[in-house]
Amino acid sequence: MSSRLIGVGVGPGDPELVTVKGVNALRAAEAVVVPVMDGGEPGRAEATVLHYVPEEKVVRVVFALNERSDRARREAAWDAAGERVAGLLRAHGCVAFATIGDPNVYSTFTYLAQTIAALVPGTAVETVPGITAMQDLAARSGAVLTEGTEPLTLVPVTAGTAVLKEALNGPGTVVAYKFGRQAREVAEALRESGRLDDAVWGSALGLPEESIRPAADLDGAALPYLSTLIAPARRGGGRGGKL
């Protein structure tokens, strides 16, 4: 019988936002892997998972989640993590990997699945979608992501602010992920494009330290790395104006 690796999206942090299907997948798996950084501190995915499965079922695996400059070190960390998960698959058959947000949106699960395909050939890889930070921020702030024919552009600011500026000069809503360390540059890009007044940012959504503020309040101070920004499309013409 082939092994199964299931990437389960557990949302942005609020345990109530894990889907029923996600909870069922976590509980059905024989082991639930949660990614941690080198220091081993519990991450957001682990905190969410522990609301639904017993601690003894959770396996921490170190990933180079914050390594972007040293490719060799990052690759070595992925290989080591892959070997650890491969061992779990050989021992248990069905392993779930919990990832914040959605497993198909900027998730470490993508790299793990590629590694496992080489280490444990024949492994069935599945994903369970999760609620994303942009959806949660839109709900909590009242920002509308799209109307009518508007496009939606999702940009990781780790790709550079030039990519963000290009998106902001377009016609639709722009969502920026991972912009906390470049908050000053992001605020300036919003001002230059005339998109500052309607934009909103948030961090630690659904957690005690949650912060949701107008982007106009950005003062250049560094924000949490996983901060999310929504700059709504320019809208006019009343109800249904973009149909």
Side-chain angles (χ1 to χ4, degrees):
M1 185 174 180
S2 64
S3 54
R4 294 170 64 212
L5 176 64
I6 307 173
V8 180
V10 296
D14 183 347
E16 292 186 344
L17 292 181
V18 184
T19 66
V20 173
K21 186 170 184 177
V23 171
N24 288 340
L26 293 172
R27 289 175 173 169
E30 295 164 81
V32 178
V33 172
V34 293
V36 296
M37 293 192 290
D38 291 346
E41 300 89 353
R44 201 173 294 183
E46 179 178 359
T48 304
V49 164
L50 289 174
H51 282 266
Y52 298 106
V53 300
E55 186 175 0
E56 57 268 22
K57 191 174 177 177
V58 176
V59 180
R60 291 181 175 183
V61 175
V62 175
F63 285 81
L65 300 172
N66 58 347
E67 179 57 72
R68 298 189 177 277
S69 58
D70 189 334
R71 182 178 180 85
R73 181 175 177 274
R74 186 173 65 240
E75 293 281 354
W78 285 347
D79 289 342
E83 290 286 358
R84 182 78 172 95
V85 176
L88 292 171
L89 284 164
R90 296 183 186 107
H92 298 293
C94 181
V95 174
F97 178 90
T99 179
I100 60 171
D102 182 277
N104 293 304
V105 180
Y106 299 128
S107 171
T108 304
F109 180 74
T110 302
Y111 314 123
L112 175 64
Q114 293 172 356
T115 304
I116 291 300
L119 294 176
V120 191
T123 297
V125 177
E126 305 169 18
T127 58
V128 177
I131 292 174
T132 61
M134 65 177 169
Q135 292 170 289
D136 197 12
L137 178 58
R140 294 175 187 274
S141 67
V144 176
L145 286 171
T146 55
E147 289 185 4
T149 58
E150 294 171 352
L152 173 65
T153 303
L154 175 59
V155 176
V157 180
T158 49
T161 54
V163 178
L164 175 63
K165 290 179 180 179
E166 181 180 357
L168 288 171
N169 287 324
T173 293
V174 176
V175 175
Y177 274 4
K178 306 176 183 178
F179 82 93
R181 295 173 186 167
Q182 294 170 275
R184 184 184 301 276
E185 293 89 339
V186 168
E188 184 58 33
L190 288 166
R191 290 190 191 93
E192 290 176 359
S193 62
R195 306 282 290 268
L196 182 64
D197 291 343
D198 295 330
V200 62
W201 69 270
S203 63
L205 302 174
L207 302 176
E209 62 271 28
E210 173 182 280
S211 180
I212 298 175
R213 303 284 298 279
D217 288 353
L218 290 170
D219 59 5
L223 302 176
Y225 173 68
L226 291 178
S227 295
T228 297
L229 173 88
I230 297 176
R234 300 177 179 90
R235 296 184 177 118
R239 182 174 62 186
K242 292 295 187 71
L243 291 175

